[in-house]
Amino acid sequence: MRRQMVTRHNIRQLVLLIWGTQILKFKPDVVITEKGLSDLACHYLSKAGVTAIRRLRKTDNNRIAKACGAVIVNRPDELQESDIGTGAGLFEVKKIGDEFFTFIVDCKDPKACTVLLRGPSKDMLNEVERNLQDAMVVARNILKNPKLVPGGGAAELTVSATLKQKNPKLVPRERPNAKSLVTALVLLQKETSLKRKDIISAFVSCIGS
C-alpha cells in the first residue's frame, strides 16, 4: 500500500512539473484559475517567480481576461502565445479593512473594469449597488438609442398641449373625449403626491366624465 501511495505521489509530481513547464515557457507574471491549485503547484510557480490566484469566480475571470487582453484556456497544453494577456500594467494586492483585494491597473486597452464600493453597512452597499446598476443601464440605453424622455410631467403636458391644439380639428363627437383626456393628463402632472391607485381613480373619473 505504501509503495502504491508513493507511486501516485510521484505521478502527481510529474504531471504538475509537465503542466508547470508548459505554463512557464511563456514566462507569465500571474496565473489565474477558477479551480483549485495545490500547494505543490503553488510552490513550483512561486519558485519560478509567478504569482498564482486560485478559486476565482467565472464572472471575475472573464472581466480580467477582457481587461488584460487574455484568452481563457481549459488545459495548459492548449496554451498559446496569443492567449497570454499582455495589456495589464500593474498587479498588486492591497488590504482594505480586514480583507485583501487584488488590483490589476494601468491596462493598455481595457474592455472591462471593476467598481469598488465602500459603505458603513451591507444594506447601504446593496442600495448603492442598485443605484449604480440603474445608472449604468441608463447610460447603456442612451448609447444604444440616443433619445431622452424628460420627466417631471413634461411628457403629459406635451401630449395634453398637442391634444388641446388639435381638438378643434377633430370631429364633434370626439372633442369631449379629447378634452377629458387633456384634463386627466394635466391632473397627472400636478398631483404627483397622490398614490398610484388615487391617480388611476382620478384619471378614470376624468375620462368617464
Side-chain angles (χ1 to χ4, degrees), residues 26 28-34 56 58-74 78-89 104 107-112:
F26 296 103
D29 297 314
V30 182
V31 174
I32 300 175
T33 176
E34 299 174 15
L56 195 71
K58 187 177 182 63
T59 53
D60 292 337
N61 203 18
N62 290 333
R63 292 192 187 100
I64 292 175
K66 289 182 178 179
C68 302
V71 177
I72 300 175
V73 296
N74 296 320
E78 298 175 356
L79 194 60
Q80 299 177 3
E81 186 71 31
S82 58
D83 298 331
I84 307 298
T86 58
I104 301 176
C107 299
K108 293 180 182 178
D109 187 21
K111 304 296 182 183

Side-chain angles (χ1 to χ4, degrees), residues 152-153 156-157 183-194 199:
E156 290 83 354
L157 285 178
T183 305
L185 290 172
V186 173
L187 176 66
L188 285 178
Q189 190 275 333
K190 290 182 178 180
E191 302 295 338
T192 55
S193 61
L194 291 178
I199 292 177

